[in-house]
Amino acid sequence: MTRDVIVLTPTPPDRATLLAGLFAGGPDLRVDTAAESAVTQLCAPDGRPLVAIEASALVRVPAEVRRLLGVDAEGPVWWTEARASTAVPEAYALARSFAGRLATVLGGTVWPGGAVTTDVVPLRTDITAVPVPDTGIPAVDVLTPRALVVMQDRPVVPLSTWLADALRHAADGDRALQLVTPPASRLTLPLRTALRGLPHRWVVRDERQGLYDGLSGVRLRWSGGIFGPDLDERGAAILVEPFREPVAGAVRQLVLQARTRHHPDAELLLGGALEAVFRRLTGAAPQGWGTAEPAGNPWSRRQLTELARARAPRPTLLTVVGAGALATVRVLRTREGVEEDVTVVVGDTSTAEERSGAGDGSGAGAGSGAEGPDAVGPDAVEGVARELHARHGLVSLLASYRSGRADLTVPARFEAPPVPVRLLVPEDSARGGAGIPASVRLGAGTGAARLYRLGDGSDAVAAWRALERLTGEGGAGGGAGTGPGPGRSRG
């Protein structure tokens, strides 16, 4: 398992400062590069990597430092991340000394906190007795024909550039990415989304319970070069007890999944629908965006569009952050136009009493947006749907409620499936008749859509039955299938 050390500095490390940091192991260690020189490696005399150091990145959104590390940053900082191998005991001390030297020279801070050292760390381990993980990928600890295994030991594990690179290698090699963490670790929503769906897997290593899946609680074992279910004598999966424990301090979360479509002209600016959702549900535009976490670029629709245009026809995957909300965006060029698949999660810290009286959006007040007592209630969802359909090319939308942590991180605990409350499909895919929930028509002509009211989130069984009737064979499924699905998790 590797251990991460991050140094935050007000200025970028120059070559001389980096070299001073790399001499934390003395003159006998070697310096190498990997990942097309984006990663610098501090290696033992025989060449095996001890510490991998990623190129520094400027984080212009201070709230990202607080979200991912739990420490405050007063302004933009340069984020330099080092990963130390635990195969050699001195490697973590080397990473700490490297970070301490950068922080001392540039006036920064080191995460995790504690005693920061600048001492030379001699290599005393008999390095010839240590196995060499022949992966060729800096972020990967174990590579097999079936899986890329990455081991992380930190409280909050984000979709870092390390892990994003590992995901790309997994896809290119038709392998699974399997992330191994201690039981106390939590994932960010972008990483949870990236790992959703087999064969990718979050593997929790518990000293008492053994191995289990962090999203489903199923006991696992290593077999054939990959982590898979450890079945009982009847061939059934075994659910471990720690996974059944409730999430402490859980709040209601709104999950909004939407697809928009635009004509691909030179004046197109992406991100308009996402910005509208953030403004309506949080009261402010997004704060930052990026291709990984930390999402350190200040919000800019123009820069986002330029990146997606430069990558076309390849899809562009983005993380967007804001006050109390997170989003993932997939921009894709299709024959119909330029499409944005957006998933926004907003935490609701209000109490049930504060939300009382908001209704389920089925009355005359529906569509009033977030001005009522329930800022992320069904009425607010309808307001979002109306605005996106009228101004941002909305094709489909599914809004659901679920219970989770207020900080939007994902623990290795059971989370009930989300409860759908609103579904929008094109008018030509709409369905009526007995048992079909009430709906309203948005727009007119060929661009019209039908917004179905599945409830207010209080009756999960009724809501799912209504959704299944709408998306069943021969019903509205043709339209709903063009947009985001219900989003059931393996947990």
Side-chain angles (χ1 to χ4, degrees):
M1 181 174 289
T2 54
R3 300 187 67 181
D4 298 345
V5 181
I6 298 167
V7 56
L8 306 171
T9 57
T11 58
D14 57 20
R15 183 177 179 83
T17 306
L18 284 173
L19 286 174
L22 290 169
F23 270 98
D28 295 333
L29 298 189
R30 294 171 44 183
V31 176
D32 202 352
T33 59
E36 299 180 348
S37 299
V39 175
T40 302
Q41 292 178 319
L42 188 60
C43 303
D46 68 347
R48 70 191 67 200
L50 304 174
V51 179
I53 301 146
E54 191 177 17
S56 302
L58 178 58
V59 179
R60 298 183 180 91
V61 184
E64 277 293 85
V65 179
R66 162 59 62 180
R67 181 175 73 90
L68 298 179
L69 302 182
V71 298
D72 292 320
E74 296 182 357
V77 294
W78 287 86
W79 177 299
T80 306
E81 188 162 340
R83 303 186 78 233
S85 169
T86 54
V88 179
E90 294 88 349
Y92 186 57
L94 283 169
R96 296 279 290 176
S97 182
F98 165 81
R101 289 171 177 228
L102 261 62
T104 300
V105 173
L106 301 176
T109 59
V110 175
W111 180 94
V116 176
T117 179
T118 59
D119 296 338
V120 173
V121 181
L123 188 62
R124 295 189 173 93
T125 299
D126 180 7
I127 201 74
T128 60
V130 178
V132 180
D134 184 17
T135 68
I137 308 170
V140 175
D141 296 285
V142 178
L143 178 66
T144 76
R146 302 177 64 189
L148 281 74
V149 180
V150 178
M151 302 182 183
Q152 287 271 268
D153 183 10
R154 55 198 289 181
V156 176
V157 186
L159 181 58
S160 63
T161 53
W162 301 97
L163 288 177
D165 181 63
L167 276 166
R168 285 191 292 270
H169 279 89
D172 292 342
D174 195 24
R175 291 181 172 100
L177 176 64
Q178 301 197 316
L179 174 70
V180 181
T181 75
S185 293
R186 307 188 307 276
L187 307 188
T188 63
L189 280 167
L191 180 55
R192 183 253 181 95
T193 301
L195 293 178
R196 185 169 55 202
L198 297 174
H200 299 325
R201 197 182 286 277
W202 175 18
V203 181
V204 176
R205 186 166 67 178
D206 191 314
E207 292 183 359
R208 294 177 300 173
Q209 297 291 331
L211 303 168
Y212 62 92
D213 190 296
L215 299 181
S216 70
V218 171
R219 184 172 295 166
L220 302 173
R221 65 187 179 97
W222 178 260
S223 177
I226 195 168
F227 289 103
D230 185 11
L231 307 178
D232 63 16
E233 61 277 4
R234 297 172 299 175
I238 304 170
L239 191 68
V240 300
E241 285 302 320
F243 188 77
R244 303 175 189 269
E245 298 175 6
V247 176
V251 302
R252 183 180 64 160
Q253 296 176 354
L254 170 65
V255 183
L256 194 70
Q257 299 168 278
R259 171 170 291 185
T260 61
R261 184 178 297 146
H262 319 280
H263 181 69
D265 57 50
E267 302 301 319
L268 174 63
L269 275 183
L270 300 173
L274 187 62
E275 182 172 308
V277 172
F278 269 71
R279 289 189 182 280
R280 274 192 169 264
L281 299 181
T282 72
Q287 295 174 343
W289 70 283
T291 56
E293 296 177 287
N297 303 311
W299 177 246
S300 169
R301 293 179 57 191
R302 182 167 299 280
Q303 291 179 1
L304 184 156
T305 304
E306 290 173 353
L307 175 65
R309 184 175 286 123
R311 291 188 172 190
R314 295 172 298 162
T316 297
L317 304 177
L318 303 171
T319 295
V320 179
V321 297
L326 277 172
T328 57
V329 184
R330 182 174 184 263
V331 181
L332 183 64
R333 182 72 166 89
T334 69
R335 286 181 294 182
E336 289 77 19
V338 179
E339 298 185 348
E340 294 176 89
D341 282 340
V342 175
T343 299
V344 183
V345 181
V346 184
D348 180 14
T349 57
S350 63
T351 65
E353 290 75 14
E354 291 171 334
R355 297 195 299 265
S356 64
D360 66 356
S362 59
S368 59
E371 299 175 358
D374 192 351
V376 296
D379 285 2
V381 171
E382 291 208 7
V384 168
R386 292 174 186 274
E387 180 173 352
L388 298 190
H389 185 265
R391 302 179 183 177
H392 299 286
L394 182 63
V395 176
S396 60
L397 177 144
L398 177 65
S400 309
Y401 292 128
R402 73 178 181 206
S403 180
R405 288 177 55 98
D407 62 8
L408 305 183
T409 60
V410 181
R413 295 288 185 271
F414 172 75
E415 291 183 337
V419 181
V421 292
R422 294 293 183 273
L423 174 71
L424 180 140
V425 298
E427 177 70 15
D428 57 9
S429 298
R431 184 178 183 183
I436 299 300
S439 65
V440 292
R441 190 171 189 260
L442 303 184
T446 58
R450 182 68 58 173
L451 180 64
Y452 290 94
R453 293 163 173 165
L454 309 178
D456 61 3
S458 60
D459 190 337
V461 173
W464 276 109
R465 286 177 178 170
L467 183 63
E468 288 167 357
R469 285 193 294 269
L470 285 169
T471 59
E473 184 177 354
T482 64
R488 291 181 186 265
S489 72
R490 290 180 297 175

